[in-house]
Amino acid sequence: ANADQVRVKGVELDASFIINKHFSVNGAATYTDGKYVKFTNAPLPLEETGAAVSFKDVSGTDLPGASKWAGSLGAEYTKNAKFFGNLGKFFIALDSYARSEFSSSPSASKYLVVPGYAIFNGRLGFRVTDGLSASFWGRNLLDKDYYEQLLPAGGNSGQYAAVLGDQRTYGITLKYSL
């Protein structure tokens, strides 16, 4: 199966603002409209597995993996400081990422639609130009359960599987620069 023609149109906005010497904000937003212009021999959707036909015309339907809407928003606060004799900046930052639902199947299936989700991340630390920088970070701070992808199992068996999104994760990063 191979799509004869697809069309993707969209808009992306990306901005960063330095509010003052301590506070900055950044964000991005995208709108994507991806469609099959012509795809007459697409694989069957999961719920039609076992039908008398082997292919389906999905011309005019949405492309898989493309959310209509996605975006991110983040902010960081910094303050000049001295830490273990090094001049640098303490910082605290929060950011978020969200996307709307999307199909993860070439032929739209009601079982393979990934619901929209939002995750939040944060970090706190001290950074320098020369010397040791350290930061504590957390991803998916609210421990949101979400899917990266839903996909049919091999062999057109009518089963499906999921790729799970990252669970809440914490860590520390140490960086030494000369």
Side-chain angles (χ1 to χ4, degrees):
N2 196 11
D4 294 316
Q5 185 178 2
V6 299
R7 182 194 74 236
V8 180
K9 296 188 286 186
V11 176
E12 181 176 352
L13 213 64
D14 192 340
S16 295
F17 298 100
I18 297 173
I19 307 299
N20 58 39
K21 68 180 186 174
H22 299 292
F23 193 66
S24 62
V25 176
N26 61 74
T30 62
Y31 171 79
T32 306
D33 181 28
K35 301 251 186 245
Y36 291 117
V37 174
K38 185 176 181 190
F39 193 3
T40 55
N41 65 336
L44 293 174
L46 188 62
E47 58 270 24
E48 294 179 28
T49 298
V53 294
S54 301
F55 299 102
K56 183 170 186 164
D57 183 352
V58 295
S59 303
T61 63
D62 292 336
L63 293 176
S67 293
K68 290 276 186 207
W69 295 98
S72 63
L73 183 62
E76 181 176 88
Y77 176 81
T78 61
K79 182 154 178 65
N80 291 334
K82 194 172 190 179
F83 190 64
F84 289 120
N86 293 317
L87 290 176
K89 292 186 178 200
F90 277 108
F91 65 91
I92 185 168
L94 293 171
D95 61 77
S96 62
Y97 170 76
R99 71 184 294 182
S100 62
E101 74 175 26
F102 62 95
S103 172
S104 59
S105 174
S107 301
S109 166
K110 64 183 177 185
Y111 299 110
L112 301 177
V113 174
V114 175
Y117 60 87
I119 58 172
F120 298 88
N121 309 310
R123 57 195 180 284
L124 164 71
F126 181 76
R127 74 177 146 244
V128 296
T129 304
D130 295 323
L132 182 64
S133 296
S135 64
F136 298 96
W137 51 266
R139 287 190 33 84
N140 193 4
L141 294 173
L142 302 178
D143 206 19
K144 170 74 175 164
D145 291 328
Y146 65 99
Y147 300 112
E148 290 283 343
Q149 186 178 15
L150 295 170
L151 55 153
N156 277 345
S157 62
Q159 297 176 322
Y160 61 99
V163 176
L164 303 176
D166 292 338
Q167 61 188 11
R168 183 185 302 141
T169 308
Y170 297 101
I172 185 169
T173 299
L174 301 173
K175 176 182 168 187
Y176 187 82
S177 54
L178 301 174

Short mmCIF file of all heavy atoms in Angstrom, two decimals, residues 3 16 19 23 28 34 50 53 62-63 72 74 86 88 98 110 114 116 119 144 151 154-155 162 168 172 178:
data_model
loop_
_atom_site.label_atom_id
_atom_site.label_comp_id
_atom_site.label_asym_id
_atom_site.label_seq_id
_atom_site.Cartn_x
_atom_site.Cartn_y
_atom_site.Cartn_z
N ALA A 3 0.37 5.62 -0.57
CA ALA A 3 -0.47 6.77 -0.90
C ALA A 3 0.05 7.42 -2.17
O ALA A 3 1.25 7.66 -2.31
CB ALA A 3 -0.47 7.77 0.24
N SER A 16 10.08 33.89 21.83
CA SER A 16 10.78 33.95 23.11
C SER A 16 10.82 35.42 23.54
O SER A 16 11.07 36.30 22.71
CB SER A 16 12.21 33.44 22.99
OG SER A 16 12.23 32.09 22.67
N ILE A 19 11.58 39.14 29.65
CA ILE A 19 10.73 40.11 30.35
C ILE A 19 11.60 41.13 31.09
O ILE A 19 11.35 42.33 31.03
CB ILE A 19 9.78 39.41 31.34
CG1 ILE A 19 8.99 38.30 30.63
CG2 ILE A 19 8.87 40.40 32.03
CD1 ILE A 19 8.11 38.74 29.49
N PHE A 23 13.70 37.10 34.21
CA PHE A 23 12.56 36.29 33.80
C PHE A 23 12.43 36.24 32.28
O PHE A 23 12.44 37.27 31.61
CB PHE A 23 11.29 36.89 34.41
CG PHE A 23 10.09 36.00 34.34
CD1 PHE A 23 10.02 34.81 35.04
CD2 PHE A 23 9.01 36.35 33.54
CE1 PHE A 23 8.92 33.99 34.98
CE2 PHE A 23 7.89 35.54 33.47
CZ PHE A 23 7.85 34.35 34.19
N ALA A 28 5.49 28.03 21.68
CA ALA A 28 5.33 27.66 20.28
C ALA A 28 3.95 27.05 20.10
O ALA A 28 3.41 26.44 21.03
CB ALA A 28 6.40 26.66 19.86
N GLY A 34 -3.10 17.78 7.59
CA GLY A 34 -2.51 16.80 6.68
C GLY A 34 -3.57 15.83 6.19
O GLY A 34 -4.28 15.23 6.99
N GLY A 50 -10.50 -8.79 8.32
CA GLY A 50 -11.27 -9.99 8.00
C GLY A 50 -12.37 -9.76 6.99
O GLY A 50 -13.09 -10.69 6.63
N VAL A 53 -12.79 -7.60 1.34
CA VAL A 53 -11.83 -6.82 0.55
C VAL A 53 -10.54 -6.66 1.35
O VAL A 53 -10.53 -6.76 2.57
CB VAL A 53 -12.40 -5.43 0.17
CG1 VAL A 53 -13.58 -5.57 -0.77
CG2 VAL A 53 -12.76 -4.64 1.40
N ASP A 62 -7.53 12.19 7.17
CA ASP A 62 -6.35 12.76 7.83
C ASP A 62 -5.16 11.80 7.78
O ASP A 62 -5.31 10.58 7.85
CB ASP A 62 -6.64 13.08 9.30
CG ASP A 62 -7.63 14.23 9.45
OD1 ASP A 62 -7.74 15.06 8.53
OD2 ASP A 62 -8.28 14.31 10.51
N LEU A 63 -3.97 12.39 7.73
CA LEU A 63 -2.74 11.61 7.80
C LEU A 63 -2.52 11.12 9.23
O LEU A 63 -2.89 11.80 10.19
CB LEU A 63 -1.54 12.46 7.39
CG LEU A 63 -1.48 12.90 5.93
CD1 LEU A 63 -0.27 13.81 5.71
CD2 LEU A 63 -1.39 11.69 5.02
N SER A 72 3.80 24.40 23.01
CA SER A 72 4.60 24.36 24.23
C SER A 72 4.64 25.76 24.83
O SER A 72 4.48 26.76 24.13
CB SER A 72 6.02 23.87 23.93
OG SER A 72 6.68 24.78 23.06
N GLY A 74 6.83 27.77 28.18
CA GLY A 74 7.82 27.63 29.24
C GLY A 74 8.23 28.97 29.80
O GLY A 74 8.06 30.01 29.17
N ASN A 86 32.15 29.84 42.47
CA ASN A 86 31.92 30.12 41.05
C ASN A 86 30.80 31.13 40.87
O ASN A 86 29.74 31.00 41.48
CB ASN A 86 31.54 28.84 40.30
CG ASN A 86 32.66 27.85 40.22
OD1 ASN A 86 33.80 28.20 39.97
ND2 ASN A 86 32.34 26.59 40.47
N GLY A 88 27.83 32.56 38.75
CA GLY A 88 26.91 31.97 37.78
C GLY A 88 25.50 32.43 38.05
O GLY A 88 25.28 33.52 38.58
N ALA A 98 1.79 20.16 24.83
CA ALA A 98 0.46 19.58 24.63
C ALA A 98 0.24 19.33 23.15
O ALA A 98 0.80 20.01 22.29
CB ALA A 98 -0.61 20.52 25.17
N LYS A 110 -11.24 3.66 14.85
CA LYS A 110 -11.69 4.20 16.14
C LYS A 110 -10.88 3.63 17.30
O LYS A 110 -10.83 4.21 18.36
CB LYS A 110 -13.18 3.95 16.33
CG LYS A 110 -13.58 2.49 16.41
CD LYS A 110 -15.09 2.34 16.52
CE LYS A 110 -15.49 0.88 16.52
NZ LYS A 110 -16.95 0.71 16.52
N VAL A 114 -5.10 8.22 19.24
CA VAL A 114 -4.38 8.59 20.46
C VAL A 114 -5.03 9.87 21.00
O VAL A 114 -5.06 10.89 20.30
CB VAL A 114 -2.88 8.81 20.16
CG1 VAL A 114 -2.16 9.33 21.40
CG2 VAL A 114 -2.25 7.53 19.65
N GLY A 116 -5.58 13.38 22.95
CA GLY A 116 -4.69 14.50 23.22
C GLY A 116 -4.18 14.45 24.65
O GLY A 116 -4.79 13.82 25.52
N ILE A 119 1.85 17.45 29.08
CA ILE A 119 2.79 17.08 30.13
C ILE A 119 3.53 18.33 30.60
O ILE A 119 3.66 19.31 29.87
CB ILE A 119 3.79 15.99 29.68
CG1 ILE A 119 4.60 16.43 28.47
CG2 ILE A 119 3.09 14.68 29.41
CD1 ILE A 119 5.72 15.48 28.11
N LYS A 144 1.22 12.03 34.14
CA LYS A 144 0.13 11.83 33.18
C LYS A 144 0.34 10.52 32.42
O LYS A 144 1.42 10.26 31.90
CB LYS A 144 0.10 13.01 32.20
CG LYS A 144 -0.81 12.86 31.02
CD LYS A 144 -2.24 13.00 31.41
CE LYS A 144 -3.13 12.97 30.19
NZ LYS A 144 -4.49 12.75 30.51
N LEU A 151 -0.97 0.92 17.76
CA LEU A 151 -0.72 0.30 16.48
C LEU A 151 -1.31 -1.10 16.43
O LEU A 151 -1.42 -1.77 17.46
CB LEU A 151 0.78 0.24 16.18
CG LEU A 151 1.67 -0.42 17.23
CD1 LEU A 151 2.90 -0.98 16.55
CD2 LEU A 151 2.11 0.62 18.25
N GLY A 154 0.92 -7.41 14.50
CA GLY A 154 1.28 -8.00 13.21
C GLY A 154 0.30 -9.07 12.76
O GLY A 154 -0.41 -9.68 13.56
N GLY A 155 0.22 -9.28 11.48
CA GLY A 155 -0.56 -10.37 10.90
C GLY A 155 -2.05 -10.10 10.79
O GLY A 155 -2.83 -11.02 10.63
N ALA A 162 0.27 -0.71 22.25
CA ALA A 162 0.51 0.71 22.53
C ALA A 162 1.98 0.95 22.87
O ALA A 162 2.64 0.09 23.43
CB ALA A 162 -0.35 1.16 23.70
N ARG A 168 6.54 9.68 35.14
CA ARG A 168 7.25 10.72 35.87
C ARG A 168 8.70 10.27 36.06
O ARG A 168 8.97 9.15 36.46
CB ARG A 168 6.61 10.96 37.22
CG ARG A 168 7.27 12.09 38.00
CD ARG A 168 6.71 12.26 39.39
NE ARG A 168 5.29 12.51 39.36
CZ ARG A 168 4.43 12.00 40.24
NH1 ARG A 168 4.83 11.21 41.21
NH2 ARG A 168 3.16 12.28 40.15
N ILE A 172 19.36 14.23 37.83
CA ILE A 172 20.33 15.30 38.09
C ILE A 172 21.31 15.32 36.93
O ILE A 172 21.69 14.26 36.43
CB ILE A 172 21.04 15.11 39.45
CG1 ILE A 172 21.95 16.29 39.76
CG2 ILE A 172 21.81 13.80 39.49
CD1 ILE A 172 22.48 16.31 41.17
N LEU A 178 35.20 24.16 30.62
CA LEU A 178 36.46 24.92 30.80
C LEU A 178 36.39 26.26 30.12
O LEU A 178 35.79 26.47 29.16
CB LEU A 178 37.63 24.13 30.23
CG LEU A 178 37.86 22.74 30.86
CD1 LEU A 178 38.95 22.02 30.10
CD2 LEU A 178 38.24 22.89 32.31
#
